[in-house]
Amino acid sequence: MNYNYGYVRENTCSQELNRQLDMLEKYHCNEFLTEKISGTKSSCLALNKLKDVVCEEDTVIVESWSRLERNTRDFMDFFSKNRL
């Protein structure tokens, strides 16, 4: 069964998640994973959870690719490990 995950991250606590959540609302995500943490941190708990649960037939929806990974190598690793 296809599952839609929305992933939202802001770099600082002073930034709001609402803008990204509003943008993703139209995609009817089954679940939103959110966090306020710098993408350079390796302790992005919601992102780590997403990496653990996403399957090949699932869809990951983000406002921009920079929300998901910080560089091309990490981005490619994410997709190769999850077979997306």
Side-chain angles (χ1 to χ4, degrees), residues 9 39-40 65-66 68-78:
R9 178 180 54 81
T40 60
W65 296 117
S66 66
L68 194 58
E69 295 293 354
R70 298 300 293 169
N71 59 54
T72 304
R73 178 182 216 134
D74 290 344
F75 183 78
M76 296 306 291
D77 285 346
F78 176 85

Side-chain angles (χ1 to χ4, degrees), residues 12-70:
T12 66
C13 291
S14 64
Q15 292 177 314
E16 291 298 322
L17 300 173
N18 293 343
R19 181 185 60 81
Q20 290 181 59
L21 288 169
D22 289 345
M23 291 179 78
L24 299 185
E25 192 66 36
K26 64 184 171 189
Y27 295 100
H28 307 289
C29 296
N30 300 98
E31 182 176 350
F32 285 99
L33 295 102
T34 64
E35 57 196 340
K36 289 186 174 190
I37 190 167
S38 171
T40 60
K41 306 272 185 193
S42 60
S43 60
C44 294
L45 298 177
L47 182 58
N48 290 336
K49 177 184 176 187
L50 177 63
K51 290 176 181 180
D52 288 341
V53 299
V54 70
C55 297
E56 184 174 345
E57 57 275 350
D58 294 338
T59 303
V60 176
I61 303 163
V62 293
E63 179 263 336
S64 83
W65 296 117
S66 66
R67 300 296 89 195
L68 194 58
E69 295 293 354
R70 298 300 293 169

